[in-house]
Amino acid sequence: MSESPGIAVSSGAAPPTEAILRPDTPAAPKPLAAQRVLPLRHPGRWTITAVVLVLVAQIVHGLATNPFFQWDRFQYWFLRPTILDGLLITLEVTVYSAALGLLGGVLLALARLSPSPVLRTVSWIYTWLFRSVPLIVVLLFLYNFSALYRTLSVGVPFGPAFFTFDESRLATDMVVAVVGLSLNEAAYASEVVRGGILSVDQGQHEAASALGLPKRYQFAKIVFPQALRSITPNYVNQLIGLIKGTSLVFYVSLLDLFGSVQSMGSTYPGDIVPLLLVATAWYLILTSVVSVIQFYVERYYSRGALRTLPPTPLQKVRTALRDLRARVRRETAT
Amino acid sequence: MTAKATETAQTAETAQTPETAQTASAAETARTASAAETGATHEIRPAAVEVHDVHKWYGTHHVLDGVELTVRPGEVTVILGPSGSGKSTLLRVINHLEKPEIGHVSLNGELIGVRRHGERLKELSERVILAQRGRIGFVFQNFNLFPHLTVLDNVAAAPVATGRLTKPEAQKLARDLLARVGLADKAAAYPRQLSGGQQQRVAIARALALRPGVILFDEPTSALDPELVGEVLAVIKDLAGSGTTLVIVTHEIGFAREIADRVVFMDEGRIVEQGPPAQVLDHPDNERTRDFLSKVL
């Protein structure tokens, strides 16, 4: 992969190489030490690269020209209000569930790491349960919950109730979806967060403790920020799973991105392929945005962990341009 | 001062008001004269440490076997001994990073980590213990700086987090302390960008930011390349001259001879010999001490 710029540059470097070897400048050949070292050529690598490029071109060509994909219909549907409404629902469900799931995950991880055996066990059982039950089953359970329990009460078990909710009014489709996804998400997030906390060196806990930092400060300012460095990539992985997992809320009659595509597809059966392409494109966009955010969040939390931070794409472009300019100047000089 | 100290020993709850103890007497201010260069923000009131009949077990291994140690205010005590003799554990018991099963530690007469409950000792709440640790500096073998914070924030963190100073005050103090350990220009760097010796000097500045009555050093130069040992020892030597109480676990015998008021030799969880360096290092009474010194000198 990293060789591809090398190919471009070495083809550009060919003329000066010939200039050095050209027989009409023979009189005083340069001493060996003063000559630029010729980089090793890789003909095998070039051949494979060429084959891959041809294959990629074929796929792109097929995608663009095959009438089966109906790109005009794709264009028609891409920004339709029904689709955008669905997209909005997908975003809402994702954001709420990601936030609640992470919060739940942190609490579950702290419970799992606490000295109390009861908290540890409860946390373990929760994680075990929700990692075992498929998300769709959880969602359908919750959807039918209001049939099982007409009212929800907060109070003493077997004793008086303090608050009572009318379940049918409380449990909108959105609430069911967010609760279901959050419950599921928290179980996975708890393991991600726990792994992150465990990855922080024991010496950090000791140093924070020896300085007499208050317990809450120790966690919020010393341990958790360092844990976030390893939590981030794992949680983003989880988050991308969640974005796609939201397509299941269609089964609790919430019209998210996938839901609207499905319902439009049944109304316009001829457009099902372009509609699926629209959904694919939007999911791709969402995932890409998350990946870009991930890069910068990771970079932020690796401050201090790395001696030099990885360059941002913009910095990479700038360095590449500067190097290229320097190279051209060097070669035009010889 | 002793009378006041015994008073505080009665109720451990006074641990929350260490500020009342901050007003140093004129004599002490004079003693900390060299520290006063960095301004009035940095007065050190040396503390007395008493370790009384401390026992500690790791499983069935008796790590500390009835240790008795008294460190007078301003005294520099160096603890020597073979590895596994309980030196580091003793140090960690003093600031209650390790809890002794039997016995107790007191700082200026105030019990650390426990309080008197009738005839018995009862463990204090974590919050109170953390407040007590704020008066005991601790320097680790592996520095244990916070890698995600700048050098300045590492030093300024504790006074801010414990509410003793505002952020600007703490940063001012941190800059003064960094200047004192010769790292004024590294305030904005992150710990991993520094050499081991520089990191350990930051760790010392971080401990000093607590304005501790006593600083405990757990093999402060053992993780350093030989050519970096000197710069750290120079900082510790400067502290020793400033009148702070220091308890140092080290393998640097020459350094011990140079700065220690007292050398303590430990073996198998017991203090087998203690006294002025000239006596313990040159004319040891105990056979184990002689044996150890003949190997390391």
Side-chain angles (χ1 to χ4, degrees):
Chain A
M1 203 43 214
S2 59
E3 313 303 333
S4 47
I7 294 167
V9 172
S10 51
S11 58
T17 316
E18 281 166 16
I20 291 170
L21 298 178
R22 209 175 295 155
D24 55 29
T25 50
K30 278 189 181 177
L32 272 180
Q35 288 185 34
R36 201 168 68 84
V37 179
L38 295 177
L40 179 65
R41 307 298 186 206
H42 300 276
R45 199 184 289 163
W46 291 5
T47 319
I48 292 169
T49 310
V51 171
V52 170
L53 279 176
V54 168
L55 287 175
V56 168
Q58 256 173 351
I59 291 169
V60 172
H61 179 258
L63 269 177
T65 57
N66 192 330
F68 174 74
F69 292 114
Q70 306 174 55
W71 288 106
D72 52 328
R73 296 306 288 160
F74 172 89
Q75 233 170 355
Y76 171 80
W77 285 112
F78 189 65
L79 293 173
R80 256 326 86 162
T82 8
I83 300 291
L84 293 186
D85 287 348
L87 180 66
L88 195 66
I89 299 267
T90 293
L91 279 175
E92 268 179 71
V93 173
T94 304
V95 169
Y96 293 147
S97 314
L100 286 174
L102 184 60
L103 182 71
V106 172
L107 295 178
L108 283 167
L110 287 178
R112 185 78 190 279
L113 295 169
S114 88
S116 154
V118 173
L119 289 182
R120 279 206 304 267
T121 312
V122 168
S123 169
W124 184 86
I125 289 177
Y126 179 95
T127 310
W128 167 76
L129 184 69
F130 280 93
R131 286 204 305 187
S132 309
V133 181
L135 177 55
I136 183 75
V137 175
V138 174
L139 285 170
L140 289 175
F141 247 118
L142 286 171
Y143 191 55
N144 295 298
F145 203 64
S146 47
L148 293 172
Y149 298 87
R150 290 254 167 257
T151 57
L152 250 191
S153 310
V154 178
V156 185
F158 314 111
F162 303 135
F163 304 103
T164 302
F165 303 102
D166 183 358
E167 179 99 43
S168 54
R169 212 156 355 122
L170 186 76
T172 62
D173 295 337
M174 182 60 128
V175 170
V176 167
V178 168
V179 168
L181 285 165
S182 303
L183 288 174
N184 185 70
E185 192 66 9
Y188 289 95
S190 81
E191 286 295 283
V192 169
V193 171
R194 189 171 70 96
I197 293 175
L198 290 180
S199 74
V200 177
D201 183 38
Q202 189 57 31
Q204 294 292 308
H205 295 271
E206 281 184 358
S209 210
L211 283 170
L213 303 177
K215 204 75 188 150
R216 189 176 295 198
Y217 187 96
Q218 287 189 22
F219 180 73
K221 296 292 173 70
I222 305 298
V223 176
F224 198 59
Q226 293 187 59
L228 274 174
R229 185 166 137 70
S230 68
I231 290 175
T232 311
N234 291 322
Y235 189 67
V236 169
N237 222 4
Q238 195 55 41
L239 190 65
I240 288 173
L242 174 68
I243 292 177
K244 295 183 293 183
T246 55
S247 57
L248 289 178
V249 304
F250 173 61
Y251 295 101
V252 295
S253 59
L254 198 62
L255 282 185
D256 69 320
L257 179 57
F258 175 71
S260 4
V261 162
Q262 274 287 73
S263 73
M264 286 298 110
S266 50
T267 319
Y268 304 94
D271 280 358
I272 187 70
V273 170
L275 277 166
L276 287 175
L277 281 175
V278 165
T280 308
W282 277 118
Y283 283 121
L284 277 173
I285 291 170
L286 292 185
T287 313
S288 313
V289 169
V290 170
S291 306
V292 170
I293 296 172
Q294 173 188 9
F295 176 82
Y296 285 97
V297 172
E298 258 178 48
R299 194 166 180 275
Y300 178 82
Y301 283 112
S302 52
R303 280 170 321 157
L306 306 171
R307 285 202 172 80
T308 47
L309 289 176
T312 62
L314 201 68
Q315 287 169 335
K316 263 190 213 162
V317 170
R318 234 180 272 150
T319 334
L321 281 178
R322 200 185 52 219
D323 289 355
L324 194 67
R325 228 178 294 139
R327 191 166 181 156
V328 167
R329 214 175 303 136
R330 204 167 47 234
E331 287 178 6
T332 45
T334 46
Chain B
M1 189 184 84
T2 346
K4 192 183 173 197
T6 17
E7 261 173 47
T8 47
Q10 304 308 317
T11 54
E13 268 62 35
T14 49
Q16 285 143 297
T17 58
E19 275 76 8
T20 52
Q22 289 291 331
T23 44
S25 69
E28 279 161 350
T29 320
R31 190 151 34 147
T32 58
S34 72
E37 306 161 349
T38 55
T41 48
H42 194 70
E43 285 163 13
I44 296 170
R45 183 172 174 273
V49 178
E50 271 179 67
V51 177
H52 184 65
D53 192 29
V54 160
H55 289 262
K56 169 97 194 151
W57 285 265
Y58 286 143
T60 55
H61 178 46
H62 204 162
V63 215
L64 294 178
D65 183 4
V67 174
E68 291 276 348
L69 178 69
T70 307
V71 179
R72 286 184 292 275
E75 194 177 37
V76 177
T77 304
V78 171
I79 304 177
L80 299 176
S83 53
S85 59
K87 310 175 299 271
S88 291
T89 311
L90 173 60
L91 214 58
R92 294 159 65 88
V93 159
I94 293 178
N95 79 341
H96 214 69
L97 274 180
E98 301 279 357
K99 299 167 191 168
E101 268 96 24
I102 300 175
H104 60 260
V105 174
S106 63
L107 192 73
N108 279 343
E110 181 194 326
L111 292 173
I112 296 295
V114 290
R115 65 189 166 88
R116 243 178 264 283
H117 184 75
E119 288 299 293
R120 309 202 53 185
L121 294 175
K122 212 174 164 184
E123 205 176 351
L124 285 171
S125 76
E126 189 156 12
R127 198 170 56 89
V128 180
I129 296 175
L130 287 170
Q132 289 183 328
R133 289 217 190 99
R135 280 173 292 151
I136 307 171
F138 199 102
V139 176
F140 294 88
Q141 181 178 347
N142 296 316
F143 333 132
N144 289 344
L145 292 176
F146 305 131
H148 63 302
L149 300 180
T150 61
V151 164
L152 189 73
D153 288 340
N154 262 279
V155 181
V160 177
T162 51
R164 281 198 300 272
L165 295 179
T166 64
K167 199 167 180 189
E169 283 169 351
Q171 289 190 339
K172 162 101 175 53
L173 172 68
R175 280 184 202 286
D176 289 347
L177 290 170
L178 285 174
R180 185 167 170 196
V181 298
L183 292 170
D185 54 329
K186 298 289 184 194
Y190 285 96
R192 290 208 178 126
Q193 295 164 334
L194 305 183
S195 73
Q198 290 171 328
Q199 289 191 48
Q200 192 60 295
R201 279 145 69 200
V202 174
I204 294 172
R206 182 173 72 170
L208 285 173
L210 297 169
R211 297 178 192 169
V214 54
I215 306 179
L216 313 173
F217 291 86
D218 188 6
E219 304 196 17
T221 56
S222 298
L224 297 178
D225 290 342
E227 81 269 24
L228 302 177
V229 169
E231 62 188 70
V232 172
L233 293 183
V235 169
I236 300 174
K237 200 173 155 190
D238 170 61
L239 284 177
S242 74
T244 318
T245 310
L246 304 181
V247 182
I248 306 167
V249 169
T250 184
H251 294 297
E252 304 279 335
I253 307 285
F255 181 64
R257 191 191 301 277
E258 196 180 347
I259 68 155
D261 295 315
R262 182 156 40 143
V263 172
V264 172
F265 183 78
M266 283 187 77
D267 188 37
E268 292 178 345
R270 269 176 243 128
I271 292 180
V272 296
E273 186 162 10
Q274 58 177 307
Q279 183 205 315
V280 176
L281 296 176
D282 299 331
H283 309 287
D285 291 332
N286 187 282
E287 197 189 323
R288 280 293 295 133
T289 319
R290 273 200 295 273
D291 188 41
F292 175 78
L293 290 172
S294 70
K295 280 176 192 157
V296 296
L297 280 179

